[in-house]
Amino acid sequence: MSDKINGTPPDNGGQEAMDIVAEADTGARSPSGIPAKILWFVPLAWAGFQLWLASPLPFMLRFGIFNSTEARSIHLAFAIFLAYLAFPALKRSPRHYIPIQDWIIALVAAFTAGYQYLFFIELSDRPGLPTQMDIVVSVIGLALILEATRRALGPPLMIVAAVFMLYTFFGHLAPEIIQWKGASLNKAMSHYYLTTEGVYGIALGVSTSLVFLFVMFGSLLEKAGAGNYFIRVAFALMGHMKGGPAKAAVVSSAMTGLVSGSAIANVVTTGTFTIPLMRKVGFSAEKAGAVEVASSTNGQLTPPIMGAVAFLMIEYVGISYVEVIKHAALPALISYIALVYIVHLEACKADMKGLPRRRPPNFIRSLMSFLLTFLGLVVLTAFVYFGLGWMKGAFGEATLWVAIVLLIITYVALVYYGCRFPELDTELEITELPDPAPTIKAGLYYLLPVVVLVWCLIVERLSPGLSAYYATLFMLFVLLTQRALKAIIRKTGESVAGCLKQGCMDTPEGLISGARNMIGIGVATAAAGIIVGTISLTGIGFVMSEFVEFISGGHILIMLILTAVLSLILGMGLPTTANYIVVSALLAPVIVTVGAQNGLIVPLIAVHMFVFYFGILADDTPPVALAAFAAAAISKGDPIKTGIQGFMYDIRTAILPFMFIFNTELLMIGIESWYHLLITVVIAITAIMLFAAATQGYFIVRCRKWEIVALLLIAFTLFRPAYWMDQIYAPLESVSATNIYEVAEKMPVGAQIRIRVMGEDIEGREIDKVVMLPLGAAGSGKDRLFEAGLELLIADGKVIVDNVVFGSTAERQKIDFDFEIASVEVEADRPAKQWFYLPALIVLGLIIMLQRGRREKTPAIAAA
């Protein structure tokens, strides 16, 4: 009881949370002796294989080159072998040794997973003609994947995948609305296991080529001490504010989320520091845990990694990495700003204080420090950007080596600069706030690997895999050398050889930690491949669309709500990557199909972001809320109440997907100038803060009921002003299809053309839908439509699809040869929707005036 009174959780709270992470992410077994060495060596070998696979060395040495199917097979063999060794079968199963049956199952599972690699040539010689051995291996392999999924991730994904498999075989017994003829064992096993349509499909491919490297990069960054640095910086900057520890929790979770692939691990990494301090300033156990849960869950929405989903979106949506990050940036930003504001409102209601500063603030000194830091960053950015541009012309092929030398010099200089300030504290308890400037400067070199990663991705436009490879190599260099460099610079008397030895010990530990974090993701992407394979084999996606349309009655909002609920249910208990694979494969086509049939035409990226957001919210949605259980283990609160409170804090995240479905400017689509972007950002942030205030019932003072309704209406108007304009003017008008080339030619660069297509699909069903196709760069209308994948034939007043380019956007939109283009939908000429901002802002001004008047007359009443 005393622990609850003084706000400090018992000492074993952190250990209990770590146990939850182990059970969910890395494996709960910790054997000794030879099994321990195997559990040390195999993940290290896996990490080495992935680094080799990502590097250019195989092609330079012409040795160890694997095609994508072989690489996926080896990747899964490592993952499933470790799953059976690291994760016990049952709660009562031994933790300190590995039973003999698990060794046998692990070896059999590794063989079945590696079957595609071991017999690749033989399988290639008999496509679609599996032997009895192929079928037996496939059946055993699928069964072992399901069991490994249950061990590593719990029952939810295993049950969902098993239900989909049963539907494949017994679809003829299903209710009429979802009935299908069923598949034979040979056909199903061949589809699931011997092709790239099922287990070895896109999801496992992305896990193999991209996700592993980014998870490993994040693990190395954490091992080097960057996680502690992010937390200390967040507390130094925000800990003194009202409810400061909670605001610091939000910011530190956002920074950790930049490179983290797990909401649960994020909760424990930052929550061990933040939750006790939130309790100390007045947050209840449940609210402290809920703030951390909401912050860590949203960390999965934060670019550049997005829980590794950014790379899956590249494959599923068919756009570049830079475009994915551009579309994801603003929603993530306003979501975090809203959460900081919610924490602020909670603190205001309860009259909470922040943590004491070490020294009183000095406005002039703080302003000068900020300006100098800002100018320094601007100068450094300009020097790096234009300097490297100059070097490419001056040094040619030697530019890479010159850049590496400059990078190392910069790293050494930043370590030297950081050593002028006290070493970052690593104690779990923060008793007083660190000074902002010394804290930030002490660890600036931690940002260099992230800078390398982002530079390679966004400026050099290297592939995500190669970018992560180079960033990981630099991260390994930092991990090896930082301790020795500090010993030399600080003259601590420590042996340089001893420091290098410690760095050599930390490096494999970081690689092993990253590999063990990938066990669950590896088997999850394989299990998710079963679901994707079922969809492609049975056509259940079309059935799901018809089902949702039937239930919603064609009402778009009901359809979106139903899809959101299904995303929450399907996402419960799943890691971020598997979560996205399942909901995007099953539910994204529903929004596209049903929406198009009812006049809602949305870019595909907006649809995928919609289901992704709701899938992520499942992490804090009871009863399967693993992040909430981890937070409750630290706070000693009720996990169900923590999850419910976390979901209430996340309600503003839940409203965002609905907004960007109807207003794609929130995804930075259709932004035409810098001031248009500025207005969009400012209005979006204002709207989400007003929505947060309305849901909290507190703005400047406690809100009256009519003020809550008014704030909700203002937020809605700022988010979606087009709704009111649509009531006055129709948003679109139809143009004859024969003018399609003229319309396409006049559209701006990067615009999307809306066309209504009619025809008959391969199964004889009548198709009548509106689709959007990206037009890309400027040019003739004919050329721009060809870039989108269409070759047209205009004759007798009709426009017929003469050819659909393989792999194009038009093909992905299910446009087929001989379809007719019935019309082109263009935006109607009408007043700017932004005019509706004016009445909304006038009403907001009235509410501010009234609430300020009440605050001056009556002191705010503290929350009960």
Side-chain angles (χ1 to χ4, degrees), residues 592-643:
V592 173
T593 304
V594 179
Q597 290 170 355
N598 294 277
L600 176 65
I601 310 301
V602 210
L604 197 55
I605 181 65
V607 174
H608 279 255
M609 290 287 289
F610 181 92
V611 296
F612 172 51
Y613 264 57
F614 279 104
I616 287 298
L617 285 176
D619 275 344
D620 59 9
T621 306
V624 188
L626 297 181
F629 277 84
I634 300 172
S635 70
K636 294 303 164 187
D638 182 278
I640 300 299
K641 290 181 179 177
T642 300

Side-chain angles (χ1 to χ4, degrees), residues 351-409:
D351 196 25
M352 296 178 188
K353 307 298 180 185
L355 295 175
R357 283 175 161 173
R358 290 187 178 182
R359 65 187 72 178
N362 182 302
F363 175 75
I364 300 298
R365 186 171 63 238
S366 300
L367 181 62
M368 289 300 296
S369 176
F370 171 78
L371 289 175
L372 287 173
T373 303
F374 179 74
L375 288 174
L377 287 173
V378 170
V379 171
L380 181 62
T381 303
F383 173 76
V384 171
Y385 187 84
F386 294 107
L388 282 180
W390 169 79
M391 282 194 302
K392 286 179 181 178
F395 298 106
E397 293 182 359
T399 300
L400 175 63
W401 300 107
V402 175
I404 289 172
V405 171
L406 288 176
L407 179 64
I408 293 172
I409 292 172

Side-chain angles (χ1 to χ4, degrees), residues 55-391:
S55 76
L57 290 176
F59 299 98
M60 293 168 61
L61 302 176
R62 298 189 178 183
F63 167 76
I65 300 174
F66 302 94
N67 63 40
S68 61
T69 303
E70 291 174 323
R72 294 172 192 185
S73 179
I74 297 171
H75 177 83
L76 181 58
F78 272 114
I80 201 166
F81 179 76
L82 288 170
Y84 281 103
L85 296 187
F87 292 89
L90 303 167
K91 287 186 178 294
R92 62 176 181 272
S93 298
R95 299 295 198 266
H96 301 296
Y97 71 93
I98 302 173
I100 185 66
Q101 64 267 22
D102 281 356
W103 285 106
I104 295 170
I105 296 172
L107 290 170
V108 173
F111 170 76
T112 58
Y115 190 74
Q116 283 269 15
Y117 166 67
L118 296 171
F119 300 98
F120 178 76
I121 295 175
E122 291 86 345
L123 291 169
S124 300
D125 289 339
R126 53 172 189 266
L129 299 171
T131 64
Q132 187 174 2
M133 178 68 171
D134 295 340
I135 299 302
V136 170
V137 169
S138 300
V139 170
I140 295 173
L142 286 170
L144 292 177
I145 286 171
L146 291 177
E147 169 58 12
T149 303
R150 184 195 66 80
R151 290 191 182 203
L153 304 167
L157 180 57
M158 184 271 289
I159 292 172
V160 172
V163 167
F164 272 78
M165 282 186 66
L166 289 173
Y167 176 73
T168 298
F169 295 110
F170 304 107
H172 59 286
L173 303 176
E176 186 176 351
I177 191 171
I178 60 169
Q179 199 172 86
W180 93 294
K181 63 182 180 180
S184 67
L185 182 66
N186 278 20
K187 182 178 180 181
M189 291 303 103
S190 180
H191 189 82
Y192 280 134
Y193 213 77
L194 303 177
T195 70
T196 55
E197 293 292 327
V199 169
Y200 298 97
I202 289 175
L204 187 63
V206 173
S207 176
T208 304
S209 60
L210 298 174
V211 177
F212 191 104
L213 289 167
F214 281 91
V215 170
M216 185 164 60
F217 175 73
S219 178
L220 291 170
L221 202 58
E222 177 66 32
K223 189 69 179 176
N228 179 57
Y229 172 67
F230 291 153
I231 292 167
R232 301 287 162 177
V233 168
F235 271 94
L237 294 174
M238 308 192 75
H240 65 283
M241 301 176 180
K242 284 190 174 184
K247 293 174 182 174
V250 176
V251 174
S252 59
S253 292
M255 290 192 288
T256 304
L258 291 173
V259 291
S260 171
S262 168
I264 305 165
N266 199 333
V267 165
V268 175
T269 302
T270 58
T272 307
F273 292 88
T274 60
I275 290 174
L277 288 171
M278 283 190 267
R279 299 287 309 278
K280 190 173 182 179
V281 297
F283 280 86
S284 67
E286 285 75 23
K287 285 190 175 181
V291 169
E292 184 57 54
V293 167
S295 306
S296 298
T297 301
N298 278 257
Q300 305 300 286
L301 308 175
T302 312
I305 309 302
M306 296 167 63
V309 165
F311 312 110
L312 287 163
M313 283 188 178
I314 295 171
E315 299 293 333
Y316 288 157
V317 182
I319 59 178
S320 70
Y321 173 81
V322 174
E323 288 178 291
V324 170
I325 297 309
K326 181 184 78 171
H327 297 319
L330 183 56
L333 173 67
I334 62 180
S335 180
Y336 266 108
I337 288 174
L339 186 53
V340 170
Y341 187 57
I342 285 174
V343 167
H344 175 73
L345 294 176
E346 288 277 17
C348 289
K349 288 193 288 185
D351 196 25
M352 296 178 188
K353 307 298 180 185
L355 295 175
R357 283 175 161 173
R358 290 187 178 182
R359 65 187 72 178
N362 182 302
F363 175 75
I364 300 298
R365 186 171 63 238
S366 300
L367 181 62
M368 289 300 296
S369 176
F370 171 78
L371 289 175
L372 287 173
T373 303
F374 179 74
L375 288 174
L377 287 173
V378 170
V379 171
L380 181 62
T381 303
F383 173 76
V384 171
Y385 187 84
F386 294 107
L388 282 180
W390 169 79
M391 282 194 302

Side-chain angles (χ1 to χ4, degrees), residues 501-512:
K501 182 179 178 181
Q502 184 61 49
C504 290
M505 292 171 62
D506 287 342
T507 300
E509 290 300 327
L511 294 172
I512 290 165

